[in-house]
């Protein structure tokens, strides 16, 4: 693929990011600090994993980076310039920063064909291309994500594809603008265990060949370790630990990381866990 | 330590094969069902009624005598030459009925379309954009909603019709349609706002925004197509409201007296004391036609409701299944598991 890559070192810098939600219940107002003071830098060719329990603010970070939400504090800087919130500037930002959503069953429009989903971002971000060229590119992209032959999938609708195939379409859509940075918010958590690895390998392969900077958000420490160059552990809106995958996993410093690791599958425990679940399932 | 990295990988045989099979089956069903939803008896009946009446309104006026030709004898009962008799002024009732149907349909379609347009404007925009836009638009919608409909229409209709300088337009069915359209959108707007609000939160809407789609394109290309059944239902609702509203207005003498509609026919019959002189052929046909049209449109609306809200469709189906199962002696067992 011949997507133009920017010259010189490019960065996507997240600086002291903050997001508060005001919760109203009756006359009482509570402020929820979903994200407080998160900073890190994404670079092309590197994958950073963001792990943490449910509700720790991972998706909020993702949504702010992809400009679906505004931060209450801090900055997102693309090549040093603050991320815009509207208009052409935002469009240019989005041609560099894309997102893959968690649930491929929800992130594709049931009304439109697969081709539509890939063609639209191409058309928006490459307005100089002719319809024929756009279609060719769309087919190329579908083959890129291993939906081959593309013609078999192009005219189908999302509900006619499996979860893994849909997530591949979502990845193709994210690649279409020619993005340098991809935020993947739990890209495989909704998929069947047997096809997770295929999708993750595809992401890793694309990341290497296109030199993408990937923020890989996950619950799963094992895949985080396998697929990333750095792991950040998030807890209650803060990053409590970060570092080389091996050192974080093998030598966790923060107490929370340790509990996460304990909870995560170590094969013996997994068996034990399954037995527990079964026992519970029978009693209820 | 490589084994530590992939504890999730081994394929768990167990639930996987069955669930994949189920997915395939569902996908296949979907594929078959998608092009045309199953046509229910309700839908079919409704469509037949509406199509027949619409064809009558469109075609019949070409074949009847001038509905305002008063050379016939007055108050002839149905019979030779005048299938449905004549009115007090010697108009042919069948000719009036043909033109009246056309007039009523015209009012219904124009008013319904206008109401739908306004409902989309107020409802979908409010639901999608939220915030201040939502608050302003919702306020206007609520104001329209709490003002009682018919009195408002009467006031506006009376006012416009007495405005100087409108000429024959003041008494045209087009004007009445517009008045009905701008008073009849609020209910639909509320429904559309709620739906747009929930669709806005869908991932595919967020995804299309991330892909770079502009707000209006998101609304019209990504959201509205998924609302088509709902929009159709709202349109039909608007048409019913307008046809009945026009009949009501006309009966009160505020209708389009410059044109012929089913409502103005009733109004003529009333002022001409059709009931007193027992000229049933004068007021029963237009009344029956309005009722039929309303029924047909409502049937279509119910059918669409069932498509939008599958639970409604499944309810009678489930009842049928249960009866059948009972007959065959394999009813639902006590703990809820299907035998
Ligand atoms: N629109 C919102 N309004 C109020 N609170 C919100 C909103 N969105 C998220 N939150 C809260 O912010 C916190 C962080 O949510 P977030 O979705 O980022 O968690 P997460 O780490 O992605 O969790 P998961 O792993 O389950 O996806 C949660 O406590 C959530 O309830
Ligand atoms: Mg999340």
């Amino acid at each position: 693929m011949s997507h133009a890559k920017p010259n010189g070192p490019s960065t996507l810098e997240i600086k002291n990011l903050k997001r508060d939600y005001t919760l109203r219940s009756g006359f009482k107002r509570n402020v929820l600090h979903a994200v407080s003071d998160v900073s890190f830098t994404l670079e092309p060719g590197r994958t950073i994993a963001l792990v943490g329990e449910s509700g720790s603010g991972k998706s909020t970070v993702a949504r702010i980076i992809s400009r679906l939400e505004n931060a209450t504090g801090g900055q997102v800087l693309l090549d040093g310039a603050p991320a815009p919130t509207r208009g052409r500037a935002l469009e240019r930002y989005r041609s560099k920063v894309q997102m893959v959503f968690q649930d491929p069953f929800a992130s594709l429009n049931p009304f439109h064909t697969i081709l539509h989903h890939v063609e639209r971002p191409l058309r928006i971000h490459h307005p100089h291309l002719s319809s024929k060229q756009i279609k060719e590119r769309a087919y190329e992209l579908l083959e890129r994500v291993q939906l081959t032959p593309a013609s078999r999938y192009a005219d189908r609708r999302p509900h006619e594809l499996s979860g893994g195939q849909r997530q591949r379409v979502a990845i193709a859509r994210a690649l279409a603008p020619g993005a340098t940075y991809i935020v993947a918010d739990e890209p495989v958590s909704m998929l069947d265990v047997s096809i997770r690895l295929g999708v993750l390998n595809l992401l890793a392969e694309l990341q290497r060949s296109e030199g993408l900077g990937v923020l890989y958000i996950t619950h799963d420490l094992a895949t985080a370790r396998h697929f990333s160059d750095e792991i950040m552990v998030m807890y209650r809106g803060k990053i409590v630990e970060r570092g080389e995958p091996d050192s974080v996993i093998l030598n966790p410093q923060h107490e929370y990381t340790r509990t996460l690791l304990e909870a995560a599958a170590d094969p013996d425990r997994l068996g034990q866990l399954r037995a527990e679940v079964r026992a519970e399932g029978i009693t209820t | 330590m490589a084994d530590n990295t992939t504890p999730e990988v081994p394929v768990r045989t167990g639930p996987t094969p069955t669930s994949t099979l189920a997915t395939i089956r569902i996908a296949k069903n979907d594929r078959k069902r998608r092009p045309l939803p199953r046509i229910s008896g309700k839908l079919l009946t409704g469509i037949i009624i509406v199509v027949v009446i619409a064809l009558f309104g469109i075609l019949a006026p070409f074949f009847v005598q001038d509905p305002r030709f008063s050379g016939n004898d007055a108050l002839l009962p149905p019979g030779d030459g005048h299938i449905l008799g004549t009115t007090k002024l010697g108009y042919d009732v069948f000719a009036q009925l043909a033109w009246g149907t056309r007039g009523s349909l015209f009012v219904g379609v124009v008013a319904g379309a206008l109401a739908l347009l306004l409902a989309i404007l107020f409802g979908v925009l409010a639901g999608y954009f939220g915030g201040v836009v939502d608050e302003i638009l919702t306020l206007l919608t609520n104001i329209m909603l709490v003002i009682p409909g018919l009195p408002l229409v009467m006031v506006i209709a009376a006012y416009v019709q007495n405005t100087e300088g409108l000429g024959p337009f003041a008494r045209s069915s087009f004007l009445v349609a517009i008045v009905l359209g701008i008073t009849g959108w609020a209910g639909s707007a509320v429904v559309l706002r709620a739906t747009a609000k929930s669709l806005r939160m869908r991932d595919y809407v967020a995804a299309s925004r991330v892909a770079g789609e502009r707000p209006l394109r998101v609304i019209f290309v990504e959201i509205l197509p998924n609302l088509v059944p709902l929009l159709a239902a709202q349109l039909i609702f608007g048409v019913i409201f307008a046809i009945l509203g026009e009949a009501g207005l006309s009966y009160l003498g505020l209708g389009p007296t410059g044109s012929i509609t089913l409502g103005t026919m009733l109004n003529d019959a009333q002022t001409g004391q059709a009931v007193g002189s027992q000229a049933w052929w004068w007021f029963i046909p237009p009344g029956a036609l309005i009722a039929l049209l309303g029924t047909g449109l409502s049937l279509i609306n119910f059918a669409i409701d069932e498509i939008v809200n599958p639970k409604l469709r499944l309810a009678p189906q489930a009842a049928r299944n249960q009866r059948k199962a009972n007959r065959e002696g394999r009813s639902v067992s006590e703990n809820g598991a299907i035998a």
Side-chain angles (χ1 to χ4, degrees):
Chain A
M1 290 228 84
S2 58
H3 290 316
K5 294 198 186 78
N7 304 319
S10 166
T11 56
L12 182 63
E13 197 179 348
I14 282 71
K15 236 181 174 173
N16 310 105
L17 205 62
K18 248 206 206 113
R19 178 67 170 121
D20 297 336
Y21 289 112
T22 315
L23 305 174
R24 289 196 196 96
S25 58
F27 289 104
K28 256 186 22 204
R29 278 165 160 240
N30 280 319
V31 176
L32 172 80
H33 304 290
V35 176
S36 36
D37 201 20
V38 166
S39 304
F40 59 92
T41 303
L42 274 175
E43 287 159 17
R46 267 172 71 83
T47 300
I48 299 184
L50 184 58
V51 275
E53 65 181 356
S54 196
S56 54
K58 307 182 299 294
S59 293
T60 308
V61 171
R63 294 173 66 83
I64 291 172
I65 295 177
S66 50
R67 310 315 286 156
L68 286 169
E69 233 167 90
N70 289 321
T72 26
Q75 280 180 309
V76 177
L77 302 164
L78 176 63
D79 301 339
T85 53
R86 60 193 327 138
R88 290 236 172 272
L90 178 59
E91 209 166 278
R92 271 197 300 279
Y93 175 84
R94 283 190 161 142
S95 75
K96 295 277 166 259
V97 183
Q98 281 290 312
M99 174 163 176
V100 176
F101 287 78
Q102 175 174 8
D103 184 356
F105 297 87
S107 69
L108 301 178
N109 193 332
F111 185 82
H112 291 300
T113 61
I114 301 307
L115 190 62
H116 171 96
H117 286 95
V118 185
E119 269 190 346
R120 280 305 302 167
L122 284 170
R123 215 177 278 279
I124 293 166
H125 297 283
H126 308 279
H128 54 279
L129 292 179
S130 73
S131 292
K132 192 164 160 283
Q133 285 170 311
I134 284 181
K135 194 163 179 183
E136 278 168 16
R137 282 254 192 132
Y139 273 61
E140 249 171 64
L141 277 166
L142 287 178
E143 310 234 320
R144 205 68 235 285
V145 296
Q146 293 158 16
L147 291 174
T148 46
S151 54
R152 234 178 72 198
Y153 298 94
D155 295 323
R156 293 207 206 166
R157 280 168 212 281
H159 70 271
E160 295 168 305
L161 265 55
S162 74
Q165 291 169 335
R166 290 186 215 204
Q167 200 59 303
R168 286 164 201 269
V169 174
I171 292 170
R173 163 171 67 188
L175 293 179
T180 319
Y181 300 99
I182 304 261
V183 177
D185 186 2
E186 305 192 38
V188 293
S189 66
M190 303 296 283
L191 301 182
D192 197 273
V193 187
S194 58
I195 48 177
R196 286 186 183 172
L197 203 65
V199 172
L200 284 177
N201 277 330
L202 170 71
L203 256 181
E205 192 261 312
L206 288 168
Q207 187 259 327
R208 271 191 303 276
S209 63
E210 311 273 322
L212 302 174
V214 175
L215 180 66
Y216 171 45
I217 297 177
T218 182
H219 279 180
D220 180 9
L221 282 163
T223 56
R225 180 182 180 201
H226 189 77
F227 287 100
S228 66
D229 303 299
E230 182 180 349
I231 290 184
M232 300 187 296
V233 181
M234 194 161 175
Y235 179 60
R236 299 208 173 160
K238 287 199 179 66
I239 288 180
V240 292
E241 180 157 4
R242 67 201 303 170
E244 294 279 309
D246 282 344
S247 65
V248 171
I249 301 266
L250 301 180
N251 186 17
Q253 297 301 307
H254 197 274
E255 189 188 343
Y256 173 66
T257 315
R258 267 177 238 138
T259 38
L260 252 190
L261 275 168
E262 263 170 44
D266 106 52
D268 301 339
R269 231 184 102 69
L270 202 67
Q272 188 189 329
L273 218 72
R274 198 182 293 147
E276 275 169 25
V277 169
R278 280 203 186 130
E280 251 171 64
I282 287 165
T283 51
T284 48
Chain B
M1 278 301 198
D3 53 347
N4 201 11
T5 61
T6 52
E8 289 278 273
V9 179
V11 182
R12 289 185 203 151
T13 51
T16 317
T18 46
S19 66
T20 340
L21 274 184
T23 330
I24 291 170
R25 212 172 298 130
I26 289 166
K28 275 191 183 147
N29 282 345
D30 271 9
R31 205 168 179 184
K32 259 187 238 148
R33 209 183 54 218
R34 186 146 183 121
L36 256 189
R38 206 172 62 102
I39 297 208
S40 63
K42 268 182 217 160
L43 186 60
L44 201 65
T45 320
I47 288 179
I48 290 176
I49 294 177
V50 171
V51 166
V52 168
I53 295 179
L55 284 178
F56 175 68
I58 293 166
L59 299 177
F62 294 115
F63 302 106
V64 297
Q65 73 173 181
D66 179 359
R68 290 262 164 80
F69 172 71
S70 52
N72 310 306
D73 289 340
L75 286 178
L76 282 179
D80 282 348
H82 303 286
I83 309 175
L84 287 176
T86 59
T87 72
K88 199 174 192 176
L89 293 175
Y91 300 153
D92 182 69
V93 173
F94 187 73
Q96 288 243 322
L97 199 64
W99 283 90
T101 305
R102 177 182 279 191
S104 280
L105 285 174
F106 173 77
V107 171
V109 170
V110 171
L114 181 62
L116 183 67
L117 209 72
L118 289 169
I120 291 176
L121 198 69
F122 281 81
V124 178
L125 292 192
Y128 181 76
F129 286 110
V132 187
V133 178
D134 184 21
E135 256 154 54
I136 294 171
L137 294 181
T138 308
L139 181 69
L140 290 173
T141 310
N142 286 339
I143 290 175
M144 288 304 288
L145 207 59
V146 292
I147 299 177
L150 199 61
L152 177 67
V153 178
M154 283 162 55
V155 171
I156 297 180
Y159 175 76
V160 233
Q161 284 167 1
N162 291 321
T163 311
E164 303 275 317
L166 282 175
F169 183 63
R171 288 274 162 187
S172 71
S173 52
F174 189 63
L175 187 75
V176 170
I178 290 178
V179 172
L180 286 167
I182 52 182
T183 48
W185 54 268
S188 305
V190 172
V191 175
L192 290 179
R193 173 176 171 271
T195 318
K197 209 168 172 164
S198 85
L199 284 185
R200 182 197 144 73
M201 295 299 165
R202 296 280 166 87
D203 273 0
Y204 64 77
V205 174
S208 70
R209 282 165 65 204
V210 172
E213 299 282 17
R214 299 283 167 85
L216 286 183
R217 238 197 109 92
V218 173
I219 291 178
F220 287 103
V221 180
E222 304 293 329
I223 293 183
L224 275 192
N226 289 297
L227 288 180
V228 163
L230 190 64
L231 294 177
Q234 299 305 323
L235 175 66
I236 291 173
F237 174 74
V239 172
I240 298 175
F241 172 84
I243 288 176
L244 297 182
E246 185 275 332
L249 272 186
S250 297
Y251 191 75
L252 295 171
L254 290 166
T257 44
S259 354
I260 302 172
T261 66
L262 296 175
T264 61
M265 277 184 79
L266 285 175
N267 179 242
D268 288 347
Q270 189 231 354
T271 49
Q273 268 130 25
V275 182
S277 50
Q278 305 197 325
W280 55 266
W281 59 87
W282 189 358
F283 60 86
I284 286 186
L289 216 53
I290 289 176
L292 255 178
L293 194 54
T295 311
L297 288 170
S298 302
L299 282 175
I300 297 180
N301 221 354
F302 292 150
I304 294 177
D305 262 354
E306 287 175 6
I307 295 169
V308 177
N309 191 351
K311 274 188 205 146
L312 292 176
R313 182 180 56 214
L314 292 180
Q317 179 73 47
R320 265 201 300 278
N321 285 350
Q322 191 146 9
R323 273 199 300 276
K324 195 170 157 224
N326 276 338
R327 262 203 313 278
E328 291 169 6
R330 29 170 209 108
S331 55
V332 174
S333 66
E334 263 169 30
N335 55 15
I338 294 165

